[in-house]
Amino acid sequence: MRWRGGGGAGGFSGAKARTYGFVFSFLLVPLVLYVVFVIGPYAQAFYISLTNWKGISATPTFVGMENFTRLLGDEVFWAAVRHHGLLLLALPLVTIAVALFFAFLLNIGGGRRGRTAGVPGSKFYRVVYFFPQVLAVAVVGVLFQAVYRPDGTGVLNGLLALAGIDPVGWLIEPDLALWSIMAVLVWQLVGFYVVLFSAGMSAIPQDVFEAAALDGAGRFRLFFGITLPLIWDTIQVGWVYLGIAAFDCFALVQVLSVDRGGPDNATTVLPLEIWRTAFTFSKFGYASAMGVALFFLTITFAALSLRVTRRERIEL
């Protein structure tokens, strides 16, 4: 057998080049589409935010940082930012807590005598919990308009009337309106995270739970000592997704709120203000400045959340 020097290296380089070319050919079209339909609009929004474009003229006037300076003194903008802050605190906490509770019951909390299993009918409950997720946001909004109707014909007020309690203006009282919309967000989102956390729990070996249960660990210990640490990465992802959802709740606020963000801007959010500023007042430059601010708020939240919630990965 004769060794042909140099052929192996050349053959390896050729195979490697062909592999990269094959991979690049598959990535080229998605990359081009991403640049055109995602990066391109972002870049355009950054440029428009530095102009006073009204949406009509072909050559907008460059105004520099004037739009961002106006944002600093815009009370409606800061009201929307405060509402996002409240949503960022409450929406992930409540949704994740409820979803973890339901997922634990559906996968682990129903077992007896050292065995882990879901509660009876857990497959049916999974479908029931996930059902709101398949409904369009507009449909959910219309449904809860009937639930929150301020007179006695509303579902909630009808139940309160049975207990002798006067009707409550769930969506027309400034102190209640945002909390009422937030409750609808939790109701709609919790089913997806039940499924997400259930998938994470099902990936944990059953031997771990059974060994802990045989050692006398109760449901409280099984959840906080074993389940929670082992699905922490999934919870972290869910937290970031819910934070982004808190910044992107335009449709539900549009449908449910009084006078689009009312009463008295008690429920307004940045996506709604961007839409109203652009398409009602034709101030596309100022609306783009709000969009840029929303972009940086979202990126900052995601980066901080991943940083703060980072923990060492537990390997089984």
Side-chain angles (χ1 to χ4, degrees):
M1 180 180 297
R2 296 179 61 186
W3 171 259
R4 298 179 180 178
F12 176 76
S13 299
K16 193 173 183 180
R18 287 193 298 272
T19 301
Y20 284 147
F22 179 75
V23 173
F24 181 74
S25 65
F26 274 92
L27 293 178
L28 180 60
V29 174
L31 181 61
V32 170
L33 292 175
Y34 185 80
V35 170
V36 172
F37 293 105
V38 179
I39 302 299
Y42 273 124
Q44 190 177 24
F46 275 80
Y47 168 70
I48 294 174
S49 69
L50 302 175
T51 70
N52 65 348
W53 189 46
K54 304 296 184 182
I56 300 174
S57 60
T59 56
T61 303
F62 184 81
V63 296
M65 301 298 291
E66 181 180 327
N67 289 324
F68 295 98
T69 304
R70 286 179 57 194
L71 282 179
L72 297 178
D74 191 334
E75 295 182 0
V76 177
F77 170 78
W78 287 111
V81 172
R82 288 193 297 270
H83 296 156
H84 283 299
L86 183 59
L87 286 166
L88 285 173
L89 287 175
L91 183 63
L93 281 173
V94 176
T95 304
I96 288 177
V98 174
L100 281 173
F101 175 73
F102 286 151
F104 184 75
L105 289 180
L106 296 179
N107 292 271
I108 300 164
R112 297 178 180 274
R113 296 180 180 180
R115 301 188 64 182
T116 57
V119 296
S122 57
K123 293 182 179 179
F124 171 75
Y125 292 136
R126 283 191 180 94
V127 176
V128 172
Y129 293 150
F130 192 77
F131 177 72
Q133 189 68 30
V134 304
L135 296 176
V137 178
V139 174
V140 173
V142 172
L143 287 174
F144 275 87
Q145 281 180 342
V147 173
Y148 286 142
R149 199 169 294 154
D151 53 24
T153 61
V155 176
L156 281 180
N157 283 328
L159 294 174
L160 293 177
L162 295 177
I165 302 175
D166 294 334
V168 176
W170 303 100
L171 296 174
I172 62 176
E173 293 186 12
D175 294 335
L176 286 177
L178 186 62
W179 293 102
S180 300
I181 294 175
M182 197 183 307
V184 180
L185 282 169
V186 173
W187 178 84
Q188 185 187 22
L189 293 171
V190 73
F192 173 81
Y193 293 94
V194 169
V195 175
L196 180 66
F197 297 149
S198 294
M201 292 177 189
S202 64
I204 303 174
Q206 291 297 310
D207 295 344
V208 176
F209 294 114
E210 292 175 2
L214 290 174
D215 286 341
R219 288 183 175 85
F220 185 86
R221 180 62 177 169
L222 284 176
F223 179 75
F224 288 99
I226 297 176
T227 306
L228 203 60
L230 291 178
I231 65 167
W232 186 257
D233 289 345
T234 307
I235 296 173
Q236 185 185 48
V237 172
W239 188 280
V240 174
Y241 281 175
L242 283 166
I244 294 173
F247 282 114
D248 183 24
C249 49
F250 164 79
L252 199 59
V253 175
Q254 168 82 340
V255 176
L256 278 178
S257 64
V258 177
D259 195 24
R260 296 174 181 175
D264 296 329
N265 295 317
T267 59
T268 190
V269 289
L270 281 178
L272 182 62
E273 285 305 312
I274 293 170
W275 174 84
R276 182 160 51 189
T277 302
F279 296 102
T280 302
F281 303 112
S282 297
K283 298 179 180 179
F284 283 83
Y286 191 53
S288 296
M290 288 186 184
V292 171
L294 178 60
F295 170 79
F296 281 111
L297 285 173
T298 306
I299 292 296
T300 302
F301 166 78
L304 288 177
S305 295
L306 291 174
R307 179 71 177 177
V308 171
T309 60
R310 185 174 60 184
R311 297 177 59 179
E312 293 185 3
R313 187 180 181 87
I314 300 176
E315 300 288 348
L316 294 175

